[in-house]
Amino acid sequence: MARLIPAGVRPWRGVVLGAAGLYFLVPLLAALVFTVDVPNQGFTLDSYTQIFSADGFTTALLLSLGLGLTTVALALLLTLPAALAVRLSGSGRLRAVLEVVCTLPLVVPPVALVAGIGTVLKWGPDHLASTPLYETFVAVQDPEFPIVLVLAYVVMALPFVYRSLEAGLRAVDVRTLVEAARDLGASWPRAIVSVVLPNLRTALLNASFLALALVLGEFTVAQLLGFQPFAVWIVQASGSNAQLSVAVSLLSLVLTWVLLLVLTAVFRTRAARSARAPRPAKNRSDKNKKEAGA
Amino acid sequence: MTITDAPARTGTALRIRGLRRTFGSAVALDGLDLDVAPGELLALLGPSGCGKTTALRVLAGFERPDSGQVLLDGEDIVPVPANRRDTGMVFQSYSLFPHLTAAENVAFGMRMRKVAAAERRTRAAELLELVGLPDHGGRYPHQLSGGQQQRVALARALALRPRLLLLDEPLSALDAQVRVNLREEIRRLQLELGITTVFVTHDQEEALSMADRVAVMRGGRLEQCATPAELYDRPATAFVASFIGTMNRIPGRLASDGQAEVLGVTLPVDGPAGGATAFLLRPEALDVTADGPDTVIGSSFHGASTRLRVRLADGTEVKADLPSHAAGAFGAGAAVTVRPQRRPVLVAGEEA
């Protein structure tokens, strides 16, 4: 790659890299120092050891992970079949409709969304107290696992999930692949599972990661509806113990990075397995020539 | 041009009866009838939008006809879903499964039919050998050239020993040289296996050089279905005449005895004459001699032959093919005389 960059530009790469590194690393280092260097106590790792015994830490983390995974599953279950169906139908109008619907949540601020949800949730005690629907309203708001949050998160994740899937779908000719598979004896479901989904791997993983990251860091909706997933817990913990909350933030950052690295590593090995040799355009025409001469 | 080898006629008979398919108000197939003999390679040829691709997709089961029958060995397969039809198809665009190796692609159909893994491997290797890629089984599609990908696609289509092989412009995305090589190879394989084949193309050279018979389509209907030689020499309609090869349309008149008089030469008329005022002549059916009322306005060299463009005295522009050594004498602007050779001519319709 280096030889593609003109020599005059090369020193600037270091400058840009250094500036970006400073921008990201200085706050992190400051946070780290803050957590390990307590006034009057000197160096201590107390903040980190405290995390695991802190009140509500495990519950909040597990709740966030649970919400995240459920959101991913539901969002994919909604968008994937829709996006595939629209592709296979070849209808440009349907595709435009789907695109608008899936992008719309992006322009609705979470605060507005939560205000609407709050209003609807109030109907429960106000109007439905005597109907069986009231039970549903209660169940949906179970603090152990608030389904209402999942519903809100699915809406919020929709643009990201849809965009990633679309990018993946653009790269493959879904229709021809399905037809080829059907011609070879695969039923419709079989064609989707054994031919389309494997080729959408990257897109599916990207979509999942974006949705998961969104849920793990979401504060506004959960806080305003009165639930306590991880992000809300961090803010509350910071009120009682500043060092502890910063330590948790750092840790969650590291966790997210690890998750990202693992996913990237998974792609790398996959890509390496299927692309041991790159194929620049020159190679291809050479191959063609060889074949023509054969 | 036709690759003639002893054909092994062992395949399945295909009969198409009254096939009709409309998309909204557009008629893609307007009552198509076709017969393909066992082991025959039939080319469906026509301009884009003539219905040839729709016809092939109906055969594969990807499109449902509004009406009509597709009889494979006498059995109507229209109600049979695509995945239970006995057809193998090679697509125009690269259709190999990108996440599978060449060998896995070839074995895909057998996997769907639950063939044992060991047998799948053996047969996949055998097929890759058959299409000339014995060492490429472990490669992924993006590591193969376009021609290699279409070879693998051909092996994949043949893996289940289908009764009918369908080729949807499989060569159109390839370089010219690879295209010629691969079409000869497809033809060789098809003859060797004796598999009944329908080949869709818009490239007349491809159709004429590969097919046993060529079906020329237009507007969802069959214009003519004949051997390449017959199609070229005796086109049934003016459309076929102008679509296959190059035709000159030259004004003339009908003599009282039913013969045609074209450029001062009396010629027998092929087919009904009607009230003809123009006739169709191939470039190679015109002789060009030095001096005269006609003017050479250009020439293009094609190796053994050279094509002259000549403006006749009445303003009509014609093309004439001459052996290159003879054509060398006529540069642009040369005064010449164009005369038809004494061969039967066709009457030109109003369209053409």
Side-chain angles (χ1 to χ4, degrees), chain B residues 166-247:
Chain B
L166 304 172
L167 307 170
D168 183 9
E169 308 206 22
L171 307 173
S172 60
L174 305 176
D175 295 350
Q177 243 184 331
V178 180
R179 193 153 65 208
V180 172
N181 267 309
L182 197 49
R183 82 178 178 213
E184 282 169 7
E185 200 155 320
I186 289 176
R187 177 57 164 163
R188 177 184 62 77
L189 266 175
Q190 186 266 335
L191 287 170
E192 206 172 294
L193 300 172
I195 184 169
T196 310
T197 303
V198 179
F199 184 109
V200 160
T201 180
H202 64 263
D203 181 342
Q204 51 161 303
E205 193 193 322
E206 213 165 273
L208 296 179
S209 66
M210 285 176 77
D212 291 307
R213 283 188 307 147
V214 178
V216 179
M217 288 182 67
R218 181 201 192 191
R221 289 177 155 280
L222 189 63
E223 284 276 312
Q224 186 178 7
C225 184
T227 63
E230 200 181 333
L231 214 56
Y232 191 82
D233 292 334
R234 305 173 60 89
T237 65
F239 173 77
V240 174
S242 59
F243 190 74
I244 303 289
T246 308
M247 269 298 187

Side-chain angles (χ1 to χ4, degrees), chain A residues 115-131:
Chain A
I117 294 174
T119 312
V120 172
L121 287 180
K122 276 201 203 91
W123 293 352
D126 288 356
H127 307 293
L128 304 168
S130 55
T131 68

Side-chain angles (χ1 to χ4, degrees), chain A residues 67 71 74 113 117 140 146-157:
Chain A
L67 288 172
T71 303
L74 204 58
L113 187 68
I117 294 174
V140 154
I147 295 168
V148 67
L149 274 189
V150 173
L151 298 179
Y153 290 163
V154 166
V155 171
M156 289 162 69

